Amino acid sequence: MIKKITTILLISLGALLLSTVNVAAEEHEEIGGWSEDTGYYSNEDESSKDFSIQSATHKGWVTYRGGDNTRIEKAAVGETTWAATHFTRAWLQERNGSARKGQHTVYGSGYTKAQSGWGIHHTYSPDPYVARTGYGSWDAPGPIPSSNEDK
């Protein structure tokens, strides 16, 4: 009986820890990144930048697929080089800012690269999406999460 209760408690604790890591992954915000319409940006105050953050490099761009002029798709691509444990995130943002489409996050240290899901690209009218990328520090306790398709 005690063994059964101990087993149930251990399983419950494990599930709680896993959900905590997933919540922490979603709550980490970008230190900086790139936007197709405004270029590179930083969310850090220059005076408060940690030396390790200054050693990070991040690049973002748009990639396209499709051959005809009526149906071309695009995706955001971001890559980060940083010795610290970090994440790189890529997504398509609706122009009105209301939602992210196809967000993908990759965790690691050294070099990481993320590509968003594909979204329609109009050559004849305003694009419905803006390609965006971001990166940030991963300092949460526990193991680094596996790469994921967030949305």
Side-chain angles (χ1 to χ4, degrees):
M1 179 69 165
I2 290 176
K3 236 181 188 181
K4 191 174 187 179
I5 292 171
T6 304
T7 302
I8 291 171
L9 287 173
L10 287 174
I11 290 171
S12 298
L13 179 61
L16 178 64
L17 288 173
L18 285 175
S19 65
T20 303
V21 168
N22 288 336
V23 168
E26 293 171 8
E27 291 175 356
H28 275 70
E29 297 205 11
E30 292 92 17
I31 291 170
W34 171 84
S35 174
E36 176 183 19
D37 58 354
T38 59
Y40 289 94
Y41 65 91
S42 174
N43 293 330
E44 290 289 308
D45 177 5
E46 290 297 318
S47 63
S48 67
K49 278 191 174 179
D50 180 309
F51 177 74
S52 66
I53 293 171
Q54 294 175 4
S55 67
T57 60
H58 179 79
K59 295 178 187 174
W61 65 91
V62 182
T63 187
Y64 298 93
R65 74 177 182 187
D68 62 38
N69 287 332
T70 59
R71 176 82 175 165
I72 297 174
E73 293 179 307
K74 73 177 185 179
V77 182
E79 63 181 16
T80 306
T81 303
W82 191 6
T85 305
H86 66 276
F87 64 87
T88 300
R89 190 172 283 152
W91 69 95
L92 296 176
Q93 180 84 43
E94 289 185 2
R95 283 220 179 257
N96 64 12
S98 65
R100 291 181 177 192
K101 174 182 171 69
Q103 179 172 295
H104 187 74
T105 306
V106 177
Y107 302 88
S109 58
Y111 174 82
T112 55
K113 182 177 181 179
Q115 179 174 317
S116 72
W118 294 94
I120 190 83
H121 168 68
H122 296 295
T123 56
Y124 53 86
S125 66
D127 240 342
Y129 301 108
V130 176
R132 296 199 61 178
T133 65
Y135 72 101
S137 173
W138 176 257
D139 56 3
I144 298 172
S146 60
S147 300
N148 62 17
E149 182 90 17
D150 297 324
K151 297 179 184 174

